[in-house]
Amino acid sequence: MDEITKTCKVCPLACTLVISVDESNPTGYRVEGNKCNRGKDFGIKEVTEPSRVLTGRVLLKNGPMGRLPVKTTGVVPESMIEECLEIFNSTEATSPIKRGTVIIENILDLGVDVIAARKA
Ligand code: SF4
């Protein structure tokens, strides 16, 4: 790994982070482009434990379409994505649903909910 560029997703400023290995740093990494320490932590976590906001679809009953687009309210570790998608596939929601309605609460105890990405 030379340098990795990532967009910080912690706040709407969306700083561009450049992360590189730095053995003189106690964390083992150097993060540049962050406007605050939360961005530094996010950048290091992105290379040591990649994660992302997960989007997908769940079954929709009585709706205008067969499946409802959903997304997580926070990041999910890459290692848990498959398991989350299996839960999406076995979840059924019933229309009418407002955008932002919680469809799955605290999925896999990750501290994030799965919400409707649109009304249906
Ligand atoms: S580095 Fe700080 S200011 Fe920049 S997007 Fe991340 S949290 Fe926001």
Side-chain angles (χ1 to χ4, degrees):
M1 173 184 142
D2 289 339
E3 275 185 2
I4 289 185
T5 303
K6 294 271 179 189
T7 301
C8 180
K9 298 193 178 91
V10 177
C11 91
L13 277 184
C15 296
T16 299
L17 310 176
V18 179
I19 306 130
S20 53
V21 172
D22 179 1
E23 274 154 25
S24 67
N25 192 310
T27 64
Y29 295 94
R30 181 194 346 206
V31 179
E32 293 167 294
N34 56 307
K35 289 195 171 70
C36 73
N37 277 334
R38 289 185 304 160
K40 182 180 169 191
D41 295 343
F42 176 87
I44 293 171
K45 214 166 164 208
E46 273 296 281
V47 293
T48 55
E49 196 186 308
S51 56
R52 65 180 172 90
V53 170
L54 189 59
T55 59
R57 286 164 193 275
V58 300
L59 284 170
L60 181 66
K61 272 187 7 189
N62 300 332
M65 63 268 190
R67 289 186 169 262
L68 172 72
V70 294
K71 65 178 183 178
T72 54
T73 54
V75 293
V76 170
E78 241 171 44
S79 59
M80 308 288 273
I81 287 176
E82 278 304 311
E83 221 175 321
C84 285
L85 290 176
E86 280 172 26
I87 295 173
F88 285 13
N89 286 335
S90 61
T91 299
E92 197 171 75
T94 304
S95 185
I97 288 175
K98 286 188 191 153
R99 184 168 180 229
T101 300
V102 174
I103 307 297
I104 305 167
E105 206 176 322
N106 192 19
I107 189 165
L108 295 172
D109 285 330
L110 290 171
V112 301
D113 296 332
V114 178
I115 59 169
R118 57 165 288 181
K119 71 172 187 175

